[in-house]
Amino acid sequence: MKEKKTIIRKIVFLFAALLAVFALINLVWYFGLKIRYVHLTEKVDRTEREESEVDQGLSRYIYESVRNGYCFTVKDTGYLSKSGYATVSREEGYERIVDADGNEISDNGPYVILFIWPSWFSGYTFGVDIESKDYWHQMKVDENGQLMEESDMDPDLQDELNAVLEENREEIERLFELADEMWDIR
C-alpha cells in the first residue's frame, strides 16, 4: 500500500512539474513575443482572407490598413510560434504594362516592401523585398536600411545588394518613417 502511494505521489509530482513547465513556456512566449504582435495589430484593421498555399496551416487572420497610398499589414504570430510579421509598402504592387504584342511599354517603378519581425522581449529585425523589371531581391537590413552582411555572402552579391539598396534608398527611408509613425519601431 505504501509503495502504491509513493508511485501516485511521483506521478502527481511529475504531472505538476510538466504543467508548470508548460505554463512557463506559455508565459515566456506571451510576454516575450506575442504581446509585441498585439501592439502591432492594434493600429490596423482585422481582415479575414482565404489561406494561400504559402500560408497553409497558419493563421488566416491578417490585419491590414491602407493610408495615403501605403499598405500596413500585420500577420499575427501563431500559437507558441514566431511566424508573424508586419509590412509597409505602396498600395499597388509592381506592374508591367505591355502592348498587344506582349512588348513591355513601361512599369510603375521598383516595388519595395519593408518587413518587420519583433524580436524576443525588445527590438525588431528588418528586411526588404525589392522587385523591378531587372531584379527581385530579398535581404535583411538594419534599422537604418543598410544591408546586414553575412559572413558567407558572396562579395559580388553583396555589392549588387548594396547598389539595389542605394537605388531604392528614398523609398526605403519613407517606409521606415511610415512604420515609425504607425508603430514606433525605432
Side-chain angles (χ1 to χ4, degrees):
M1 189 71 163
K2 188 175 182 180
E3 197 174 291
K4 189 175 181 181
K5 283 184 180 181
T6 304
I7 290 172
I8 290 172
R9 281 188 188 138
K10 286 180 180 180
I11 290 171
V12 168
F13 178 78
L14 180 62
F15 180 74
L18 290 173
L19 189 60
V21 168
F22 178 74
L24 181 63
I25 289 169
N26 277 271
L27 287 170
V28 169
W29 170 78
Y30 184 81
F31 289 106
L33 190 66
K34 174 65 176 176
I35 204 162
R36 304 190 73 231
Y37 280 94
V38 170
H39 166 72
L40 295 173
T41 62
E42 288 172 342
K43 306 282 182 156
V44 292
D45 303 321
R46 182 177 176 164
T47 58
E48 188 171 346
R49 295 184 177 175
E50 291 297 317
E51 288 185 66
S52 70
E53 289 181 27
V54 173
D55 287 335
Q56 218 164 19
L58 301 175
S59 170
R60 294 183 311 162
Y61 296 107
I62 293 189
Y63 300 77
E64 186 171 68
S65 293
V66 176
R67 297 180 184 160
N68 300 321
Y70 285 88
C71 186
F72 299 85
T73 304
V74 179
K75 194 233 169 254
D76 199 358
T77 183
Y79 176 64
L80 291 182
S81 170
K82 192 182 177 191
S83 64
Y85 55 84
T87 65
V88 182
S89 62
R90 285 192 326 242
E91 184 176 6
E92 78 281 350
Y94 178 71
E95 185 177 335
R96 291 183 188 183
I97 302 167
V98 295
D99 63 18
D101 297 325
N103 299 313
E104 185 175 321
I105 299 170
S106 66
D107 63 48
N108 62 347
Y111 181 60
V112 182
I113 304 172
L114 172 64
F115 281 85
I116 304 157
W117 297 278
S119 300
W120 285 94
F121 297 103
S122 68
Y124 296 89
T125 304
F126 305 101
V128 291
D129 188 340
I130 305 174
E131 180 181 1
S132 78
K133 68 179 180 181
D134 300 320
Y135 53 79
W136 177 50
H137 291 293
Q138 295 176 320
M139 60 198 99
K140 291 180 183 177
V141 295
D142 65 16
E143 65 276 356
N144 299 310
Q146 301 297 322
L147 181 65
M148 297 287 293
E149 297 174 11
E150 298 173 19
S151 60
D152 61 343
M153 186 181 287
D154 179 278
D156 292 334
L157 176 60
Q158 185 176 328
D159 291 343
E160 180 182 344
L161 295 178
N162 278 317
V164 167
L165 286 171
E166 264 325 295
E167 181 179 316
N168 294 282
R169 176 70 42 216
E170 189 175 310
E171 180 70 1
I172 292 168
E173 288 175 1
R174 177 73 180 132
L175 296 177
F176 267 105
E177 288 170 10
L178 290 167
D180 276 335
E181 289 171 16
M182 178 67 85
W183 296 302
D184 191 27
I185 59 168
R186 294 190 289 176

